[in-house]
Amino acid sequence: MKLSFKKYNNKLVVRPYGEFDLHTVDIFKEKLEQRLTEDINGIILNLDGIKFIDSSGLGAIIGTYKRISNKGGVLAIAEVTPQVERIFEISGILKIIKLYPSEAEALDNIVGR
Amino acid sequence: MKLSFKKYNNKLVVRPYGEFDLHTVDIFKEKLEQRLTEDINGIILNLDGIKFIDSSGLGAIIGTYKRISNKGGVLAIAEVTPQVERIFEISGILKIIKLYPSEAEALDNIVGR
Amino acid sequence: MENKARLVIDSLSDNIGLARVTVASFASQLNFTLAELEEIKVAISEAVSNSIIHGYQGEIGEIDISMRVHEHQLEIIIEDQGCGIEDIKTACEPAYTTADRMGLGLVFIDSFMDKFEIESKVNQGTILKMVKIPAQEQKQVN
Amino acid sequence: MENKARLVIDSLSDNIGLARVTVASFASQLNFTLAELEEIKVAISEAVSNSIIHGYQGEIGEIDISMRVHEHQLEIIIEDQGCGIEDIKTACEPAYTTADRMGLGLVFIDSFMDKFEIESKVNQGTILKMVKIPAQEQKQVN
Ligand SMILES: Nc1ncnc2c1ncn2[C@@H]1O[C@H](COP(=O)(O)OP(=O)(O)O)[C@@H](O)[C@H]1O
Ligand SMILES: Nc1ncnc2c1ncn2[C@@H]1O[C@H](COP(=O)(O)OP(=O)(O)O)[C@@H](O)[C@H]1O
């Protein structure tokens, strides 16, 4: 898995590429932790580069949600592929995390929170 | 393997798609034979849709060359991918069959023969 | 037509993608849609991950994946010689996990495959049997 | 790091693509370029086709493909229990064929892999052993 990061004030946009499974979750967590500075109160996870996800990848996303919620921040998810959306739907994760069609919309909606 | 055919006077343009190996050579030979009417004196094989070829696929191309040569016609090959070109080079097939960068050039060069 | 293949891998997370790719490639001889192939991949991914994490608990063992195409259906058997499951019924409950994970792996397999069975013996290992039939074939039968 | 996998397939031409995809997927944990992965695919394709056509001569038997990554090199062993090769040296000559084919399969394997060995016993079967090392690794060693 490759990851790219962008920072807008105190929001962090995270964009992982590749397959999101047991083999890649540790890389994801590690790289994210390095970028998760004190000031960050919102994460936008852009998933348009994720070709595959299973329950291990889902677990890492829930972990990210818990991590940012614990410090009072929010997590938004943008640009999911159909396979990812399907997994999200079955898992019930949509009850706690919002999906946005684009990164810009996700940013707009969590800015100021 | 899928094949598409076009006829220009008495030249036949053949365009196979997919992988060219032991599993697909019979389909190739069979479909080609159906289109190889009496009047045809030239075949242009457009290989831009071939993602993979091995010696079995190469054998089917040599077979096509022999088939059309026996009735006094010519075979030209157009638009090969790098993997196909590599196999052609090692095999020595380029000594007997010409490659053209485009279908149009191949047609131009064998028309009137 | 019948066709068989068998993939045996070391229980390393490096091999999860290999297992997915191999099974999906084998499955593609049937009339599965792309969405169905994705479902098969998730099921394989969950099963192989479970053998690595729960079955062998990080030790290196073998995971055996047998595939068969038979009467237009895909049969998959995934086997490990790991620690086994004590209570299969509980293991299958959503959110049940013994390893601080999601507890959704077996739930996903069950919802993505047409048939799903687990056999397991503590200290001997676990066998998952699954069947998937292309929706297209199911329609033709009815 | 060491990693192993083994694919056993029925000797049907339907499975040649499966063998290519599986070996290429396994190989991709090393630093192979796309062109090198294509070379590996050709070698697998030739070996499996030979087992199907020459080894089992159209009968159904098993083809066993063992893969190992070891010290940054890929080792592949392909085995059939088919008719075997009487004269290995002659079989390896360019254009030599007993089945009205190109006689280039073994030549391709030899030119695409870094090491290539054949063991065969008439009526018992044939074993092909190949090694491929990413060009990038070879440079680093020198
Ligand atoms: N192959 C296996 N070997 C041993 N135990 C297993 C195996 N597969 C599943 N289990 C047990 O079943 C539980 C539920 O599995 P699963 O639904 O995949 O969730 P998770 O992997 O998230 O824990 C696991 O936590 C584990 O205790
Ligand atoms: N697995 C095998 N079992 C038996 N004979 C084989 C096998 N592989 C190769 N051979 C023999 O070696 C010859 C040369 O093989 P090859 O170079 O691949 O060319 P081709 O497949 O075009 O004949 C074959 O024609 C066959 O006689």
Side-chain angles (χ1 to χ4, degrees), chain C residues 33-50:
Chain C
T33 62
L34 283 183
E36 287 171 328
L37 290 174
E38 290 297 338
E39 294 175 345
I40 294 168
K41 280 189 187 174
V42 173
I44 299 306
S45 209
E46 300 297 349
V48 172
S49 299
N50 279 350

Side-chain angles (χ1 to χ4, degrees), chain D residues 50 54-55 80 83-85 91 96-98 101-106 126:
Chain D
N50 279 350
H54 308 299
D80 68 51
C83 69
I85 303 175
Y96 177 83
T97 177
T98 53
R101 287 166 43 90
M102 298 290 291
L104 286 177
L106 300 175
T126 301

Side-chain angles (χ1 to χ4, degrees), chain B residues 55-56, chain D residues 46-57 78-88 90-109 118-121 125-128:
Chain B
S55 77
S56 299
Chain D
E46 300 297 350
V48 172
S49 299
N50 279 350
S51 294
I52 295 172
I53 294 196
H54 308 299
Y56 293 115
Q57 317 206 322
I78 301 183
E79 202 171 336
D80 68 51
Q81 278 90 52
C83 69
I85 303 175
E86 223 179 278
D87 180 351
I88 294 175
T90 307
C92 289
E93 284 170 11
Y96 177 83
T97 177
T98 53
D100 190 23
R101 287 166 43 90
M102 298 290 291
L104 286 177
L106 300 175
V107 174
F108 281 179
I109 300 176
I118 305 178
E119 288 166 27
S120 190
K121 277 214 181 95
T126 301
I127 303 177
L128 268 52

Side-chain angles (χ1 to χ4, degrees), chain B residues 25-36:
Chain B
V25 286
D26 288 343
I27 290 279
F28 175 83
K29 285 180 205 160
E30 197 186 294
K31 302 258 171 187
L32 181 65
E33 206 48 51
Q34 290 168 6
R35 300 295 184 118
L36 214 58

Side-chain angles (χ1 to χ4, degrees), chain A residues 7 19 24 28 32 43 58 86:
Chain A
K7 219 178 139 177
E19 310 195 300
T24 55
F28 175 83
L32 181 65
I43 297 175
L58 198 67
R86 181 84 197 279

